[in-house]
Amino acid sequence: MDKHNYKSYRIEAENICVDYHGKVALYDANLRLKAGQICGLVGMNGAGKTTFFNALTGFVNISKGKIRINGESLRIAQKYQAIAYVPQSEGIDSQFPVSVWDVVMMGRYGSMNILRSPRESDIQAVKDAIDRVDLMELSSTPIGNLSGGQRKRTFLARAIAQRASILLLDEPFAGVDIRTEKLISELFIQFKNEGKTILLSTHDMIHVREFCDLVLLINKTVVAYGETSEVFTPENITSTFGGMSPDVLLGPES
Amino acid sequence: MDLCFLNINITSYVADPLSHEFMRKALLMSSLVAAVCGFLSSYLTLKGWALMGDAVSHSVMPGVVVAYALGLPFSLGAFIFGVGSVALIGFVKQKSRVKEDTVIGLVFTGFFALGIVLVSKIKSNIDLHSILFGSPLGISLSDVKQTVFISLLVVILLSVFRKDLILYCFDPRHAKTVGINVLFLHYLLLTCLSLAAVVGLQSVGIVLVVAMLITPGATAYLLTDKFDNMTIISVISAIISSVFGIYLSFWFDLETGGSIVLVQTFMFLFAFLFAPRYGIFKLKKFFSKY
């Protein structure tokens, strides 16, 4: 029974804490997400959004708590490439001499042999992924020559090629063109129908209302978590952003 | 008549040095060393490890001295001190409030000083000048064997883990996410750095070996947007600098290590000014006008 319960959650983070050299970045954070759910991660700069992602990808070690991915440990989840991470634009060196194809192929590395020589299936997966983000004609272009939106789509394609069941997206809508924004929102709907679980951080409150079934408000720890319609209230947002008026954050329409 | 004279002269300028056994050996060994360092330098420049390269190459000094004194292969001593210095840098940084670049500077100068003191104290046939400034013209047979062995090892390691290392330099977080051992890659690159520093110091010496590890990569980075091409350009420019540098030192009686590095620097300067896409004069645009 307990086992079955575990299985039904894609992400299960229980009371996790992360500290960097004695400074607490995140404490007692909880999150449970099922297949097909899209959750928005909202908080100020420095509130621990990237730290949360880092903990879920295993890039930093948690000092307390427990993370289960599909009911398994993080190490096993990494082996199955269960989690894909789409970095925010500032998180990568855009002048690195690799092409769109190279980057998307990196999504397949986890399941390749030690020399990372692509099989027919890997090549097909990369082709399909590049096609889904509509970058086929740019596939041999160095990423340094792409626009911000095209680069964002490249990393999305990498996540698609990886065939992960969980997608973590750090600021997916920051600095992208309208065409990319539309394409990403269409992809989100497709991912949801495919049963993928999505956790995305964003500064844009409108996007949260538009896409997210659930919202997780954090400020070093969880301020509020639940259905967007219930939790995404001006009061909760105010306390997440340290007493700032939600009018400033949401604009006059709310 | 004049032209004919010039022609003979040029041929003898190129061919004469080759009649000396030590020159042939120096040219061959330096080219090998340059190729290895050039190969590695495309990773180091992209990873942003220039300062780390400087630190490691200086820190290997006491290791080289101790290994010589104990009759061990100098590469072993250099390797231990090279990796040890990086571990120490990480430890001090984590346990104190001192900033990273200060810690790096502090640790490698400390090791370097220890090396110099050891040379003066341990009575052996170590020539301080040849460690500091290189002695490609006086490489011994045992050095040749070690250099060839280490060079092959570094090239094999970098080739086998090539794609993983590119990923590690580019996006370590993704590497970690798909279950690639990032810590292993970190130490692999560090190991290659220490080993390359050891072979490089024979050619240009400890003081200048960092140039062998970063300049060819930086030059190549200005000339291409493809990693494979970057590696090829880096290796070729390193070999050309080595050969040309040794010839210059032969013709004009210059310090060999210094002239090799100076040729590399001029090649970078040329790329910096005239690279088709990234040079400040952008030759491509210039040509396309006409």
Side-chain angles (χ1 to χ4, degrees), chain B residues 130-260:
Chain B
S130 75
I131 293 185
L132 292 184
F133 302 109
S135 61
L137 306 185
I139 293 177
S140 73
L141 188 65
S142 71
D143 290 351
V144 169
K145 278 184 192 158
Q146 260 192 62
T147 305
V148 170
F149 176 74
I150 296 172
S151 301
L152 283 177
L153 183 67
V154 172
V155 168
I156 289 170
L157 285 176
L158 289 180
S159 307
V160 169
F161 293 101
R162 178 180 171 68
K163 288 189 173 169
D164 283 21
L165 285 169
I166 296 171
L167 174 57
Y168 168 63
C169 295
F170 176 57
D171 191 353
R173 195 200 310 251
H174 173 72
K176 181 86 189 176
T177 309
V178 296
I180 291 170
N181 193 338
V182 175
L183 200 65
F184 165 75
L185 293 174
H186 179 84
Y187 280 101
L188 177 71
L189 198 55
L190 214 56
T191 303
C192 290
L193 171 57
S194 304
L195 293 175
V198 177
V199 292
L201 70 86
Q202 295 178 51
S203 192
V204 297
I206 279 184
V207 178
L208 289 176
V209 72
V210 66
M212 303 276 283
L213 294 169
I214 56 172
T215 312
T219 306
Y221 185 50
L222 291 177
L223 295 172
T224 180
D225 277 321
K226 290 201 176 85
F227 193 91
D228 290 351
N229 293 354
M230 184 172 160
T231 307
I232 293 166
I233 295 172
S234 177
V235 168
I236 290 174
S237 87
I239 292 174
I240 292 174
S241 317
S242 241
V243 171
F244 196 52
I246 289 175
Y247 265 108
L248 280 179
S249 82
F250 185 87
W251 294 331
F252 303 109
D253 193 22
L254 306 171
E255 182 74 47
T256 316
S259 48
I260 291 174

Side-chain angles (χ1 to χ4, degrees), chain B:
Chain B
M1 188 65 185
D2 266 340
L3 206 69
C4 185
F5 172 73
L6 194 73
N7 199 12
I8 291 165
N9 222 343
I10 285 173
T11 322
S12 71
Y13 266 129
V14 176
D16 268 2
L18 292 176
S19 64
H20 303 285
E21 163 80 29
F22 72 91
M23 276 299 283
R24 287 199 298 268
K25 204 160 75 181
L27 282 167
L28 261 168
M29 294 315 291
S30 293
S31 301
L32 178 65
V33 166
V36 172
C37 292
F39 196 9
L40 183 62
S41 83
S42 37
Y43 297 92
L44 296 183
T45 37
L46 290 173
K47 185 73 192 152
W49 269 13
L51 192 56
M52 197 68 107
D54 204 17
V56 169
S57 58
H58 278 79
S59 302
V60 301
M61 171 109 176
V64 172
V65 177
V66 170
Y68 261 123
L70 296 176
L72 296 167
F74 61 83
S75 50
L76 186 71
F79 173 70
I80 292 169
F81 275 81
V83 175
S85 69
V86 175
L88 195 63
I89 288 167
F91 180 76
V92 175
K93 192 187 108 196
Q94 206 173 357
K95 297 288 172 192
S96 78
R97 56 183 296 204
V98 183
K99 289 201 176 90
E100 184 174 23
D101 64 330
T102 311
V103 177
I104 292 177
L106 201 143
V107 169
F108 90 70
T109 47
F111 272 103
F112 191 48
L114 177 67
I116 292 175
V117 169
L118 281 176
V119 170
S120 69
K121 208 61 204 165
I122 295 173
K123 293 280 172 280
S124 69
N125 54 352
I126 305 170
D127 178 13
L128 181 62
H129 187 270
S130 75
I131 293 185
L132 292 184
F133 302 109
S135 61
L137 306 185
I139 293 177
S140 73
L141 188 65
S142 71
D143 290 351
V144 169
K145 278 184 192 158
Q146 260 192 62
T147 305
V148 170
F149 176 74
I150 296 172
S151 301
L152 283 177
L153 183 67
V154 172
V155 168
I156 289 170
L157 285 176
L158 289 180
S159 307
V160 169
F161 293 101
R162 178 180 171 68
K163 288 189 173 169
D164 283 21
L165 285 169
I166 296 171
L167 174 57
Y168 168 63
C169 295
F170 176 57
D171 191 353
R173 195 200 310 251
H174 173 72
K176 181 86 189 176
T177 309
V178 296
I180 291 170
N181 193 338
V182 175
L183 200 65
F184 165 75
L185 293 174
H186 179 84
Y187 280 101
L188 177 71
L189 198 55
L190 214 56
T191 303
C192 290
L193 171 57
S194 304
L195 293 175
V198 177
V199 292
L201 70 86
Q202 295 178 51
S203 192
V204 297
I206 279 184
V207 178
L208 289 176
V209 72
V210 66
M212 303 276 283
L213 294 169
I214 56 172
T215 312
T219 306
Y221 185 50
L222 291 177
L223 295 172
T224 180
D225 277 321
K226 290 201 176 85
F227 193 91
D228 290 351
N229 293 354
M230 184 172 160
T231 307
I232 293 166
I233 295 172
S234 177
V235 168
I236 290 174
S237 87
I239 292 174
I240 292 174
S241 317
S242 241
V243 171
F244 196 52
I246 289 175
Y247 265 108
L248 280 179
S249 82
F250 185 87
W251 294 331
F252 303 109
D253 193 22
L254 306 171
E255 182 74 47
T256 316
S259 48
I260 291 174
V261 173
L262 214 51
V263 175
Q264 287 190 340
T265 312
F266 272 110
M267 287 179 91
F268 174 80
L269 194 65
F270 195 72
F272 172 69
L273 293 175
F274 303 116
R277 260 186 92 91
Y278 302 111
I280 39 180
F281 294 126
K282 295 190 183 55
L283 268 192
K284 209 185 207 167
K285 266 189 194 160
F286 179 80
F287 281 130
S288 64
K289 272 187 205 155
Y290 297 97

Side-chain angles (χ1 to χ4, degrees), chain A residues 183-213:
Chain A
L183 195 133
I184 293 178
S185 25
E186 283 166 10
L187 280 172
F188 277 179
I189 295 162
Q190 293 172 21
F191 291 157
K192 197 176 157 67
N193 293 335
E194 290 164 19
K196 292 186 197 298
T197 301
I198 300 174
L199 180 65
L200 64 103
S201 73
T202 181
H203 274 103
D204 195 324
M205 305 297 159
I206 295 159
H207 286 134
V208 176
R209 292 228 163 82
E210 211 170 318
F211 305 111
C212 301
D213 315 311

Side-chain angles (χ1 to χ4, degrees), chain A residues 137-153:
Chain A
E137 68 277 23
L138 293 173
S139 69
S140 58
T141 309
I143 57 163
N145 300 350
L146 300 176
S147 71
Q150 289 164 340
R151 215 172 290 139
K152 186 66 86 182
R153 274 144 63 192

